[in-house]
Amino acid sequence: MKGFGNSTIIIPISLCFIFLIFIYHFEDVLATPPRHLCRPEQRDALLAFKNEFHFGKLHYYCELQRFDSHPKTKSWGNNSDCCSWKGITCNAQSREVVGLDLRCSGLHGRFHSNSSLQNLPFLTTLDLSFNDFYGQVPSSVGNFSHLITLRLQGNKFSGRIPSSIGNLFHLTSLYLPNNHFTGRIPTWIGNLSQLTELGLWRNNLVGEIPSSIGNLPQLTILAFWGNNLVGEIPSSIGNLSQLTDLSISRNDLVGEIPSSFGNLSKLTYFEASLNAFTGTIPFHLFTIPSLISIILSDNQLNGTLEFGNTSSPSNLESLSLGNNNFKGPIPRSISKFVNLKSLDLSPFDTQGRPVDFSIFSPLKSLQYLYLSYLNTTTTIDLYDILSYSKKLSILSLSGNHVSTTNKSSVSNPPSQQIYALYLSGCGITEFPELLRTLHGIEYLDISNNKIKGQVPAWLWTLSNMWYVNLSNNTFISFQTSKKKQGLSSVRKPLLRYLLGSNNNFTGKIPSFICELRSLETLDLSENNFKGSIPYCLGNLKSNLSHLNLRQNNLGGSLPKHIFESLRSLDVGHNQLVGKLPRSLNRFSTLEVLNVESNKINDTFPFWLGSLRKLRVLVLRSNAFHGPIHQASFPQLRIIDISHNHFDGTLPSNYFSKWTAMSSLGKNEVGSNKMYMGDTYYQDSMVLMNKGVEMELVRILKIYTAIDFSGNKFEGEIPKSIGLMKELLVLNFANNVFTGSIPSSMGNLKALESLDVSQNKLSGEIPQELGELSFLAYMNFSHNKLTGLVPGGTQFRTQNCSSFEDNMGLFGPSFDEVCRDIHTPPSHQQYETKEEDEEVISWIAAAIGFIPGISFGFTIGYILLSYKPKWWFMNPFGRNKRRWRSTPTH
Ligand SMILES: *[C@@H]1O[C@H](CO)[C@@H](O)[C@H](O)[C@H]1NC(C)=O
Ligand SMILES: *[C@@H]1O[C@H](CO)[C@@H](O)[C@H](O)[C@H]1NC(C)=O
Ligand SMILES: *[C@@H]1O[C@H](CO)[C@@H](O)[C@H](O)[C@H]1NC(C)=O
Ligand SMILES: *[C@@H]1O[C@H](CO)[C@@H](O)[C@H](O)[C@H]1NC(C)=O
Ligand SMILES: *[C@@H]1O[C@H](CO)[C@@H](O)[C@H](O)[C@H]1NC(C)=O
Ligand SMILES: *[C@@H]1O[C@H](CO)[C@@H](O)[C@H](O)[C@H]1NC(C)=O
Ligand SMILES: *[C@@H]1O[C@H](CO)[C@@H](O)[C@H](O)[C@H]1NC(C)=O
Ligand SMILES: *[C@@H]1O[C@H](CO)[C@@H](O)[C@H](O)[C@H]1NC(C)=O
C-alpha cells in the first residue's frame, strides 16, 4: 500500500479521462479487405514518413497499458499492400489511406513541416499519441481537410497550437494533452462546430479560456487541467448541453463557478480543484442527477454551502470540497447523497456550531471520509462514525473533539478494514482501546493529543501497520510485551515509520525498537531518553534511513558499525562524547549529519568528503578542534561548524571544490523537490540567518549556507569564497580573520545574509558588495575596517550596529544608517514580509528582505516549505498544491 496517500481523489478521476480517450472511437477502423493494393504514392509517403523517425523506448505510459504497444512501422515493407500494414486503414473503394494509428509505436524525432505525411491528404484519423515526437506541429496539419480525429497526446510537441487546425471543420475529437504546447487556447476552437471531445490537459497553456468554447454544442468532454490558465470560466460553458466531463483543475482560474453550470444536465465529472475560485457553489449543480463526481477542493470558495432540493436520487460518488473557506452549517441534506464513496469537507468552519454527525449515517458506501477541522463544539464518537459505513477505509477527524471510549466497542468491537485513521489534535487522553480490533489499519496519526502513560504493546500486533505518529503527547514509556520472546515471534512487523517526538519518554531507548525490522524512519526527538544509543539499532541497518534522536539526554559516543543505510542522522542537543566514528565514511547514502550541541571532541572530519551525497553537515557547538583540512565536499549545501575550537588558516583556494554551492545544477534550480525526506517525513534544522535563528522546517534543496563563526580561524578569508555563487548565508563572525574582505565576495549574487563581525579585518568594504541586490542582512561590526561604505539600497537599510566599532567607516550610506542612533532607520523595511512569518517558523522575528527581486526567489522556497498544519494530518488528496511538476498522469 505504499504511497496510497497521494491525492487519491484527484488522480483517479484524471485517469478516468485518460481512459476515456482510449475507449472512445476507433470502432471504425480495421474493416479493410485486402483486395486492393494501396496507392503507390501513398505507400511511398508512408515509407518516407517511417524513415523520418527512429525507434526508441516505448513511452512509459504504453508499458502500463494492455493495448497494442509496439513499433508498428517496423512491419512496413516495400512490396506488401500498405493497406494491410499495422496501423493503416484504407477506404475500401477509393484505396486511399484514411487512418493512421501509430500510438505507442516508440517513434522518436522532430516533426518537420515538409514531412511526407502531407502526402496522405485523405486521412480522417491521425493518432500519433504516446511517442516521442518533438518540435512544432507543422501547420500543414491543416491540409488534412477530412480529418475527424486528431490525437497527439503524450509527446513533446511544443510551440503554439497551429491555427491551421481551425480549418479542420470535420474534427470531432481533438486531443493534444501531455505535451509542451504554449500560448493561449485559440479562439478559433469555437469554429470546430462538430467537436465532441477537446483535451488539452497538462500543457503550458496560458491566458483565458475563450468564451467561443460555448459555440460547440456537441461537446461532451472538455479537459484543460494542468495548464496555467487565468481569468474566469466563461459562462458560455453553461450552454454546452451535452457536456459530461469538465476538468479544469490545477490552473489559476478565478471568479465564481457560473450559475449557468446548473444547466449542464448531462454533467458527470466536474473537476476544478487547485484554482482560486471564490464565491459559493451554485446549488443547482448538486441537483444534476447524472453527476458522479464534484472535485472543488483547494480553492477559495466561501459562504454557506447549499445542496438544493431535488427529488431525484443522487448518483454522486465523490464530493471533494476540502480546503476552501466555507462557513456555516454542514447542510443536513448531505445525507441524501447515499452513493457517496468519498467525501472531503476538511476543513470546514462551522463557526462553533454543533454538528449532528448522524447526518452522515445514511452514507453506507463511504470509503473515504475527511471531516477534520470542523470548528465544532460537538464531540465525535469514533465508534459511531466507524459504524456508519462498513466500507470505510480512510477516516480523518483531526482537529475535532473525538471520544474513543464508547462502551459498545467492548461488547461489539468494530472490525472493518479501516486502513488510515487521522486523529491528530482530538483532545484524546487515553490510548483508544477500540483500535485494537482494527486489524487492517496501516496508518495511524494520533499526534497532538494528551495521551498519558504507556504506548500499548498490542499496537505492534496490528500487523499491517506501517505508519504511526505519536508525536506531541505525554507518553512516558513503551509498554513491553508480556511475551518473553518479544515481537519478532509474534509476526513480522511491517512498521516503517515510528514518530514519537515531543513526549515525556524517559529511560533507555527500548530495545524492542530494534525488532521492528522494517523501520525506515525513527523519530524520538524531544524526549528525555537517557543512556547511550543502543547498539542493537544496528539490526535495522538495511532499512533505517532517517534517525532523529535530537533533544534527549543521550550520552556515550555514537555507535560504530551501524546505520549504514542512513540518509539522515540527527543526534543534536544530547550529551554525546568521544569522537565521530570513522566508520561514518562508509555511510555512502548519508545526506544529513547533525551532531550539534553535544560534547564531541574530535578533529575536523575531512574524511566525510568521501560521502558523495552529504549535503548537510552540522557540527555546531561541540569540542571539535584543530585546523580544518582542505576537504572537498562536492554535494555539500549547508555546513555549520560554528562554536567549536577550530583554528589555523584557510588556503585561498579552500572552497574551490565545493561544487554544489557554486552551481546547483540545472535540474535543481527552482526545482520543487526537496532533497531530503519523503512524503511522510522531512528533516528540519536551525540555522543562523540574518542575525537570528531560523528554523528550516524542511531542509530544502536550494538552501545553502556556510557558518564558520565562533572559532579561532586566522589569516585571510579565502578568495575562493567568491565561487559559491549559490550561497545564501555566509557567517565568518567571531574568529580572528585578518586582511581585507575579498572583493570576490561581489560574485555571491545569491547572498542574503553576510556576517563577518568580530574579527580583525582591515581595509575597505569592497564596493562590489553594494551590487548584491539580495543581501538583506550584513554585519561588519567589531573589525578594523576603514573607508567608504558602499552605496546601494541594501547598505542603506542596515542597522547601525552592523558597522559599529571599526577604524573609520564613512560615506553617505553610513551616515544614513548611523545618522542618529536615537532615530533608528525606518522600520518599514523590516516589516514588509508578514507573509513569510506565516510560512517559516522563525524562532525570532525575521529581519526583512528587500521588496521586489528577492521576493520571488525567497517566496519560492518558502511556499514549498509551508504547509498548513492539517496538511500532515491529512495528506490524502492534498499533496498537489500550487505547484505542478507532478510526474504522474
Ligand atoms: C525497400 O526497398 C529498398 C530499395 O528499393 C531497400 O533498400 C529496402 O531495404 C527495402 N525495404 C524493405 C523493408 O524491404
Ligand atoms: C525536410 O526539412 C528538413 C530541414 O528542415 C531536412 O533536413 C529534410 O531533409 C527534409 N526532408 C524532406 C523529406 O525533404
Ligand atoms: C447561451 O445560449 C443562449 C441561447 O441558446 C444564448 O442566448 C446565450 O447568449 C448563450 N450564452 C452564452 C454565454 O453564450
Ligand atoms: C429546500 O426545501 C426547504 C424546505 O423544504 C426550504 O426551506 C429550502 O429553502 C429549500 N432550499 C432550496 C435551495 O430550494
Ligand atoms: C579534547 O580532548 C583532549 C584530549 O584528547 C583534551 O586535551 C581536551 O581538553 C579536550 N577538549 C575539550 C574541550 O574537552
Ligand atoms: C507527526 O505529527 C506531528 C504533530 O502533528 C507533526 O508535526 C509531524 O509532522 C508528524 N510527522 C510526520 C512525519 O508527518
Ligand atoms: C552585529 O554583530 C554584533 C556582534 O556580533 C552584534 O552585537 C550586533 O547586534 C549585530 N548587529 C545586528 C544588526 O545584528
Ligand atoms: C539594531 O540591532 C540591535 C541589536 O541587534 C537591536 O537591539 C536594535 O533594535 C536594532 N535596531 C533596529 C532599528 O532594528
Side-chain angles (χ1 to χ4, degrees):
M1 269 331 293
K2 74 172 95 163
F4 69 74
N6 295 356
S7 59
T8 0
I9 295 171
I10 294 168
I11 290 299
I13 304 298
S14 314
L15 280 176
C16 280
F17 271 98
I18 291 163
F19 265 102
L20 280 167
I21 299 152
F22 289 107
I23 56 178
Y24 274 67
H25 274 274
F26 292 110
E27 61 278 6
D28 53 330
V29 295
L30 297 170
T32 324
R35 298 184 280 139
H36 305 289
L37 289 180
C38 74
R39 298 190 170 201
E41 76 278 6
Q42 300 206 335
R43 183 195 59 198
D44 293 347
L46 285 167
L47 286 174
F49 173 74
K50 166 185 175 176
N51 290 329
E52 287 169 29
F53 303 96
H54 55 272
F55 295 108
K57 267 185 21 192
L58 280 186
H59 192 280
Y60 67 93
Y61 187 68
C62 306
E63 318 240 9
L64 295 174
Q65 299 300 324
R66 269 163 295 173
F67 44 70
D68 204 14
S69 303
H70 62 273
K72 295 185 183 116
T73 58
K74 268 200 175 139
S75 72
W76 297 4
N78 290 354
N79 301 315
S80 52
D81 175 8
C82 75
C83 293
S84 64
W85 292 350
K86 290 217 167 92
I88 309 292
T89 314
C90 295
N91 178 299
Q93 274 78 48
S94 68
R95 302 185 300 156
E96 306 285 1
V97 173
V98 293
L100 184 56
D101 170 8
L102 292 178
R103 83 189 126 144
C104 288
S105 294
L107 292 171
H108 288 235
R110 175 182 286 278
F111 239 95
H112 290 293
S113 55
N114 58 5
S115 168
S116 27
L117 205 57
Q118 60 191 319
N119 299 324
L120 301 169
F122 299 99
L123 283 181
T124 56
T125 295
L126 177 57
D127 188 341
L128 302 175
S129 322
F130 301 110
N131 286 288
D132 193 17
F133 295 120
Y134 57 92
Q136 304 220 347
V137 174
S139 66
S140 55
V141 71
N143 299 338
F144 299 123
S145 55
H146 303 277
L147 215 54
I148 294 173
T149 298
L150 178 59
R151 297 164 189 272
L152 303 177
Q153 68 252 43
N155 284 288
K156 296 189 185 110
F157 286 117
S158 54
R160 285 163 193 268
I161 298 172
S163 58
S164 60
I165 291 180
N167 304 328
L168 303 175
F169 295 113
H170 300 294
L171 269 188
T172 62
S173 175
L174 177 59
Y175 280 106
L176 308 174
N178 278 314
N179 277 291
H180 304 317
F181 285 113
T182 51
R184 294 164 163 266
I185 297 174
T187 315
W188 50 252
I189 279 280
N191 302 339
L192 303 175
S193 57
Q194 304 297 311
L195 266 193
T196 60
E197 304 165 9
L198 177 58
L200 301 174
W201 69 87
R202 293 200 65 196
N203 279 291
N204 302 319
L205 299 170
V206 297
E208 304 193 359
I209 299 176
S211 67
S212 62
I213 295 277
N215 304 339
L216 302 172
Q218 320 280 353
L219 210 58
T220 59
I221 296 180
L222 184 55
F224 291 161
W225 62 271
N227 282 289
N228 302 315
L229 302 172
V230 298
E232 304 197 2
I233 309 182
S235 60
S236 63
I237 289 182
N239 272 5
L240 301 174
S241 58
Q242 302 301 311
L243 204 62
T244 60
D245 301 85
L246 176 58
S247 171
I248 48 179
S249 296
R250 289 185 226 182
N251 282 291
D252 295 313
L253 299 167
V254 297
E256 305 203 358
I257 310 286
S259 59
S260 62
F261 277 22
N263 306 334
L264 298 171
S265 59
K266 296 192 173 165
L267 199 61
T268 310
Y269 295 99
F270 178 35
E271 226 197 300
S273 60
L274 289 152
N275 280 290
F277 292 121
T278 48
T280 55
I281 304 176
F283 67 84
H284 295 297
L285 196 62
F286 295 101
T287 62
I288 299 173
S290 55
L291 261 177
I292 290 182
S293 176
I294 302 182
I295 312 288
L296 286 168
S297 51
D298 299 281
N299 279 292
Q300 291 150 32
L301 297 166
N302 51 34
T304 52
L305 189 59
E306 252 198 272
F307 296 139
N309 294 327
T310 173
S311 46
S312 53
S314 160
N315 286 308
L316 203 59
E317 293 181 7
S318 182
L319 177 58
S320 179
L321 304 177
N323 200 17
N324 280 291
N325 304 322
F326 293 113
K327 284 192 169 56
I330 297 173
R332 297 192 71 89
S333 50
I334 200 157
S335 45
K336 70 183 186 201
F337 299 134
V338 290
N339 288 309
L340 272 185
K341 293 182 176 150
S342 171
L343 173 62
D344 179 2
L345 296 177
S346 325
F348 194 107
D349 185 2
T350 63
Q351 299 172 306
R353 286 184 175 80
V355 173
D356 176 4
F357 284 90
S358 68
I359 60 177
F360 301 104
S361 67
L363 311 182
K364 298 287 179 215
S365 300
L366 273 180
Q367 295 172 19
Y368 310 138
L369 180 57
Y370 302 97
L371 294 176
S372 48
Y373 300 94
L374 300 184
N375 188 16
T376 174
T377 48
T378 308
T379 297
I380 307 176
D381 188 315
L382 180 60
Y383 181 79
D384 282 352
I385 291 255
L386 288 175
S387 62
Y388 291 158
S389 162
K390 289 280 174 261
K391 296 181 181 148
L392 208 56
S393 58
I394 300 179
L395 175 61
S396 174
L397 299 175
S398 293
N400 300 310
H401 297 282
V402 173
S403 146
T404 60
T405 52
N406 191 314
K407 296 254 164 34
S408 320
S409 67
V410 181
S411 50
N412 186 15
S415 61
Q416 78 234 68
Q417 295 298 304
I418 276 272
Y419 64 73
L421 195 51
Y422 295 84
L423 295 173
S424 180
C426 293
I428 299 171
T429 53
E430 275 170 48
F431 207 94
E433 274 287 318
L434 67 81
L435 301 183
R436 205 168 174 157
T437 54
L438 302 179
H439 292 292
I441 196 164
E442 299 182 12
Y443 186 108
L444 174 64
D445 182 355
I446 197 156
S447 63
N448 282 327
N449 283 295
K450 294 168 191 148
I451 308 178
K452 306 179 288 271
Q454 295 191 313
V455 180
W458 57 255
L459 190 59
W460 319 117
T461 66
L462 298 174
S463 56
N464 291 313
M465 188 90 88
W466 58 263
Y467 178 100
V468 176
N469 193 342
L470 307 168
S471 308
N472 303 346
N473 278 290
T474 50
F475 289 114
I476 52 169
S477 65
F478 290 91
Q479 184 188 20
T480 46
S481 174
K482 281 171 198 136
K483 295 198 189 112
K484 252 195 192 142
Q485 329 66 315
L487 280 176
S488 38
S489 62
V490 180
R491 230 185 276 182
K492 213 173 159 197
L494 297 176
L495 201 66
R496 286 159 51 206
Y497 297 85
L498 176 53
L499 310 166
S501 71
N502 196 13
N503 277 287
N504 297 340
F505 288 120
T506 53
K508 293 193 159 198
I509 293 177
S511 60
F512 92 89
I513 285 175
C514 303
E515 293 171 43
L516 302 170
R517 296 295 163 90
S518 302
L519 211 56
E520 291 167 19
T521 297
L522 176 61
D523 182 355
L524 297 175
S525 58
E526 297 178 61
N527 280 294
N528 240 322
F529 283 116
K530 299 188 181 63
S532 52
I533 298 172
Y535 268 68
C536 73
L537 281 177
N539 298 348
L540 304 173
K541 65 181 163 201
S542 57
N543 291 311
L544 196 65
S545 64
H546 302 278
L547 178 61
N548 189 350
L549 301 174
R550 195 179 171 82
Q551 301 252 26
N552 278 286
N553 270 313
L554 296 166
S557 54
L558 264 179
K560 298 167 190 139
H561 308 308
I562 61 167
F563 315 136
E564 286 181 22
S565 59
L566 281 181
R567 290 177 62 199
S568 77
L569 174 60
D570 188 346
V571 290
H573 295 273
N574 280 289
Q575 313 288 333
L576 299 177
V577 295
K579 298 188 172 193
L580 288 181
R582 294 306 187 260
S583 55
L584 274 174
N585 72 357
R586 290 205 308 272
F587 291 23
S588 55
T589 51
L590 200 64
E591 294 173 46
V592 175
L593 176 61
N594 190 339
V595 298
E596 74 179 291
S597 298
N598 279 288
K599 295 170 182 161
I600 297 174
N601 182 348
D602 200 351
T603 53
F604 183 71
F606 63 92
W607 39 271
L608 288 175
S610 67
L611 300 181
R612 303 328 269 184
K613 294 192 170 162
L614 192 67
R615 297 168 208 248
V616 177
L617 176 61
V618 184
L619 308 178
R620 183 190 179 93
S621 296
N622 275 287
F624 285 97
H625 52 82
I628 63 174
H629 300 253
Q630 178 153 17
S632 69
F633 288 107
Q635 292 300 326
L636 212 57
R637 286 179 173 79
I638 298 180
I639 180 169
D640 181 350
I641 58 170
S642 64
H643 304 280
N644 279 290
H645 311 295
F646 290 121
D647 55 20
T649 58
L650 302 175
S652 119
N653 63 349
Y654 189 79
F655 295 103
S656 60
K657 288 187 188 150
W658 295 28
T659 44
M661 287 193 245
S662 54
S663 71
L664 287 177
K666 240 189 200 157
N667 50 344
E668 295 174 22
V669 178
S671 159
N672 291 337
K673 287 205 184 124
M674 292 171 274
Y675 68 73
M676 273 307 310
D678 58 26
T679 322
Y680 301 101
Y681 181 81
Q682 288 96 30
D683 297 272
S684 300
M685 68 171 289
V686 175
L687 192 73
M688 282 301 285
N689 183 9
K690 302 178 185 167
V692 292
E693 278 190 330
M694 175 183 84
E695 186 177 10
L696 291 174
V697 177
R698 275 150 283 282
I699 312 171
L700 296 169
K701 188 171 261 180
I702 60 172
Y703 218 88
T704 45
I706 293 179
D707 190 344
F708 282 8
S709 64
N711 283 290
K712 291 177 208 135
F713 292 117
E714 51 193 42
E716 298 202 356
I717 293 177
K719 289 193 175 54
S720 54
I721 192 67
L723 297 170
M724 313 280 88
K725 293 197 184 65
E726 304 291 344
L727 199 59
L728 301 177
V729 174
L730 178 58
N731 192 346
F732 282 150
N734 203 356
N735 278 289
V736 257
F737 282 115
T738 51
S740 51
I741 298 172
S743 57
S744 65
M745 275 193 195
N747 296 329
L748 303 178
K749 300 283 188 238
L751 203 62
E752 293 177 353
S753 173
L754 170 64
D755 193 346
V756 294
S757 65
Q758 302 195 64
N759 278 289
K760 298 202 156 76
L761 296 165
S762 54
E764 299 192 359
I765 298 174
Q767 292 300 312
E768 288 86 346
L769 295 186
E771 316 273 301
L772 298 180
S773 48
F774 294 111
L775 191 55
Y777 173 88
M778 54 193 108
N779 197 334
F780 300 97
S781 65
H782 309 287
N783 277 294
K784 298 175 177 170
L785 298 166
T786 54
L788 179 68
V789 171
T793 340
Q794 301 310 335
F795 273 84
R796 275 185 271 119
T797 52
Q798 296 304 309
N799 187 316
C800 179
S801 74
S802 291
F803 300 98
E804 72 189 352
D805 186 24
N806 274 294
M807 299 286 270
L809 291 171
F810 61 85
S813 309
F814 182 76
D815 292 346
E816 197 171 328
V817 164
C818 297
R819 167 183 42 196
D820 179 358
I821 295 297
H822 306 289
T823 47
S826 157
H827 242 282
Q828 250 174 338
Q829 205 65 38
Y830 300 118
E831 290 177 350
T832 46
K833 290 298 171 289
E834 274 169 40
E835 306 98 301
D836 301 350
E837 284 165 38
E838 288 172 25
V839 294
I840 266 198
S841 330
W842 301 95
I843 284 176
I847 294 181
F849 305 77
I850 47 156
I853 23 187
S854 78
F855 188 65
F857 181 76
T858 317
I859 284 298
Y861 79 76
I862 282 172
L863 268 185
L864 292 168
S865 66
Y866 168 58
K867 284 166 191 148
K869 274 205 193 98
W870 48 262
W871 172 288
F872 296 100
M873 298 142 198
N874 189 4
F876 296 114
R878 288 264 182 262
N879 65 335
K880 306 294 191 298
R881 305 273 308 168
R882 307 294 307 170
W883 61 87
R884 27 178 78 75
S885 66
T886 45
T888 48
H889 279 269

